[in-house]
Amino acid sequence: ILINLNLDNLLNDLKPFRISINEKDTFLPRHSGKLYKNGLEVNCHSLVDDGDNLQIEKRSTLTVKELAEIKQLALQESIPVIFNGKKIELTRGILEFQREGAVLSEDDVISAGDAITILQKPRSAFIFQDIFSHVNVDMPASSSGGFLLLKNGEKTSFHESIEPGDKLKIVWPSITNKQSTIKYTKN
């Protein structure tokens, strides 16, 4: 019927949603199109009688994030920390999805027939420096220009590893009343 009505292009929507993941074929029936006859799902080889009501449900879109959920893959890892008194969730990607060598974001759409490569990123501990990709830090006008990094109240460095729940601070010394005394204040 679709061919006789010059609607054979709709047959593509009824084909199974197939992609290749790391060179292995993967079928995703939930994203395949569907054909309904009188409200019941049928295949494209089903017989049709005069007066039957046919409906075609097009393929649904699939994003990288949805594919990761279907395949039960975590896209990110995260840890909670306290920075200058505020709770912050540090996150970073642990998987990279590529199509034809181009890196995909989690909102990019994957089409039927795509060849997707999933790469595991090297894992390492979170470090103090990772906080700067999640917050903006401005030096106070009254600061002498130097600063101290504190982890759980102790002096630390940019490259010190951090754990969930660590309390991180940047303390800026300030010069008060033209004295050479330096006092530490929270920002």
Side-chain angles (χ1 to χ4, degrees):
I1 289 175
L2 292 174
I3 292 170
N4 286 335
L5 294 173
N6 291 324
L7 297 173
D8 48 322
N9 60 323
L10 295 176
L11 289 173
N12 285 333
D13 284 330
L14 297 176
K15 290 181 182 175
F17 192 101
R18 181 195 60 79
I19 59 174
S20 170
I21 300 175
N22 294 345
E23 300 181 0
K24 291 183 182 177
D25 277 346
T26 301
F27 293 91
L28 302 168
R30 173 169 51 170
H31 291 278
S32 298
K34 294 178 177 53
L35 176 62
Y36 296 94
K37 178 175 83 171
N38 301 324
L40 299 174
E41 186 175 349
V42 295
N43 65 40
C44 60
H45 302 290
S46 295
L47 297 175
V48 178
D49 293 320
D50 186 33
D52 281 344
N53 180 1
L54 299 176
Q55 292 180 322
I56 294 176
E57 182 181 293
K58 292 188 173 203
R59 289 179 173 157
S60 62
T61 59
L62 176 69
T63 64
V64 169
K65 183 177 181 180
E66 290 169 332
L67 178 59
E69 289 170 3
I70 290 168
K71 300 305 274 179
Q72 298 179 346
L73 300 170
L75 292 172
Q76 301 178 27
E77 65 180 340
S78 62
I79 64 169
V81 296
I82 308 294
F83 178 70
N84 287 348
K86 294 181 183 172
K87 186 174 181 178
I88 294 177
E89 193 82 16
L90 298 181
T91 60
R92 65 175 167 209
I94 56 174
L95 291 178
E96 182 175 275
F97 284 66
Q98 296 180 357
R99 177 178 42 221
E100 298 178 11
V103 176
L104 302 174
S105 74
E106 65 181 42
D107 296 323
D108 282 336
V109 173
I110 296 173
S111 300
D114 281 351
I116 303 297
T117 303
I118 302 174
L119 302 171
Q120 179 79 40
K121 291 182 178 180
R123 292 187 113 160
S124 61
F126 281 91
I127 59 174
F128 194 109
Q129 181 174 312
D130 291 329
I131 196 80
F132 298 110
S133 62
H134 293 78
V135 298
N136 291 321
V137 177
D138 296 319
M139 183 173 79
S142 63
S143 172
S144 65
F147 58 89
L148 281 175
L149 303 177
L150 301 176
K151 177 176 100 171
N152 300 323
E154 296 187 20
K155 192 174 176 182
T156 190
S157 71
F158 285 115
H159 303 289
E160 180 75 26
S161 65
I162 56 176
E163 300 294 328
D166 279 348
K167 294 179 175 88
L168 310 174
K169 285 186 182 182
I170 297 179
V171 181
W172 303 88
S174 61
I175 302 173
T176 58
N177 299 330
K178 298 182 184 179
Q179 297 175 2
S180 61
T181 307
I182 296 176
K183 104 176 169 179
Y184 296 99
T185 58
K186 292 191 259 181
N187 182 10

